[in-house]
Amino acid sequence: MATIETAEKSANGANEILTYESVDISYDGLKVVSDVSFALHEGECLGIVGESGSGKSTLIRAAMGLLGAGGLVTRGDIWYRGLDLPDVPRDEMRRINGEEIAMIFQDAGNALCPSRKIGDQLYESMLEHGNAERAEFTENISRLLERLRFDDTDRILGSYPFELSGGMRQRIGIASAMMMNPKILLADEPTSALDVVAQKDVVEEMKIIKDVYHTSIIIVTHNIGVARELSDTLLVMKDGHAVEYGPTNDVLTNPQSDYTKKLISSVIGLKR
């Protein structure tokens, strides 16, 4: 398996912005992630792949303190700009989350209030992180929605969630995560609840984010095709362990782990 050092060689000398060092994560004393290390670099997209229950989502939720009841980083460190995130006080994490590290959830529609308009909900999220004039907010969010290929931004902001398709709601989730131009975007299975056409749209939107905003991204997915399309570096997880880690092309064309080989062979049309 590649180490952090070997994977760094593919990052074009970019600085590390988020680093996991020998991380263990447990729920109610039961270890679900064991001794995982990797680094995310500035402007890089890191893909985390593996079957359901392998610990993918748990890894990124740990960075934002979103493990929920009973979840705990029991060993190791998650470093962000000199801060060990599991030790950061809750109030400080409330500031970091959204402003500096943001997340796209698997089904963004479930995070939206069905009885409130999209624009009102996004504005309220912005207010949580400080004062924001409504006119300035509308101008900025409209510009972001246009970059994410929404045509009629006034209509979108004035719509209720149920008036939008699943793919459009997921793209609203991307816009919500990007409103404050965070340094890191964590995407937790952002395409799994979508049809093939909507998946393609979301992948294109995430490419825009990476290219235009130079955001560092971690995308968790069970879809090897999505990971190949988006990621520069790939981490393969199985049963809470990292079994392979390195530049995406190297991992997919010359896998070293038997599990990675099986994972690749299970995808129709993905040739090594």
Side-chain angles (χ1 to χ4, degrees), residues 236 243-244 254-262:
V236 182
V243 297
E244 194 141 3
N254 187 29
Q256 302 301 302
S257 159
D258 288 340
Y259 175 73
T260 306
K261 293 175 184 177
K262 291 179 181 178

Side-chain angles (χ1 to χ4, degrees), residues 4-247:
I4 288 179
E5 288 75 21
T6 57
E8 280 177 3
K9 295 178 181 178
S10 67
N12 298 320
N15 295 325
E16 294 177 9
I17 190 170
L18 185 71
T19 307
Y20 282 58
E21 295 182 350
S22 303
V23 170
D24 290 355
I25 302 172
S26 298
Y27 279 98
D28 297 321
L30 177 65
K31 189 186 295 185
V32 295
V33 168
S34 181
D35 195 24
V36 174
S37 299
F38 63 86
L40 176 70
H41 299 79
E42 293 178 354
E44 177 187 27
C45 181
L46 167 69
I48 304 180
V49 299
E51 61 197 81
S52 297
S54 61
K56 306 185 302 297
S57 297
T58 297
L59 273 176
I60 62 170
R61 286 175 176 268
M64 297 186 74
L66 299 178
L67 290 175
L72 189 67
V73 176
T74 51
R75 186 176 75 97
D77 305 290
I78 303 175
W79 295 103
Y80 169 70
R81 294 189 162 185
L83 298 173
D84 191 5
L85 293 178
D87 294 334
V88 172
R90 180 169 297 185
D91 287 348
E92 177 65 6
M93 282 305 301
R94 283 177 62 86
R95 184 196 66 79
I96 292 172
N97 289 349
E99 289 187 26
E100 301 186 45
I101 305 175
M103 183 176 286
I104 305 170
F105 294 95
Q106 182 171 351
D107 187 349
N110 286 338
L112 297 170
C113 175
S115 61
R116 300 188 62 210
K117 293 181 178 180
I118 297 295
D120 293 336
Q121 296 187 58
L122 295 181
Y123 182 55
E124 182 178 293
S125 296
M126 181 68 77
L127 287 177
E128 283 291 316
H129 292 273
N131 296 324
E133 294 293 335
R134 186 65 185 244
E136 180 182 1
F137 159 78
T138 300
E139 180 181 349
N140 290 337
I141 194 65
S142 295
R143 188 179 304 118
L144 175 58
L145 291 174
E146 288 171 358
R147 284 191 182 276
L148 296 179
R149 300 189 299 163
F150 280 106
D151 295 327
D152 190 349
T153 58
D154 288 341
R155 182 183 69 82
I156 296 299
L157 294 174
S159 296
Y160 293 96
F162 63 82
E163 295 179 306
L164 305 178
S165 68
M168 294 173 77
R169 289 194 298 269
Q170 195 70 352
R171 290 158 66 194
I172 291 297
I174 295 174
S176 177
M178 288 301 299
M179 283 192 304
M180 285 171 280
N181 195 18
K183 301 297 182 185
I184 299 173
L185 180 64
L186 307 177
D188 188 6
E189 298 276 11
T191 64
S192 64
L194 305 176
D195 60 39
V196 175
V197 174
Q199 285 184 22
K200 183 177 183 297
D201 287 342
V202 168
V203 167
E204 291 302 317
E205 261 80 69
M206 294 190 68
K207 285 182 179 179
I208 291 170
I209 288 168
K210 184 173 180 286
D211 294 341
V212 173
Y213 296 96
H214 308 293
T215 306
S216 303
I217 299 172
I218 298 180
I219 180 168
V220 164
T221 181
H222 63 270
N223 189 323
I224 297 289
V226 169
R228 178 179 61 177
E229 188 75 15
L230 280 174
S231 62
D232 304 297
T233 308
L234 206 59
L235 175 71
V236 182
M237 294 288 297
K238 184 181 188 300
D239 298 331
H241 295 81
V243 297
E244 194 141 3
Y245 174 52

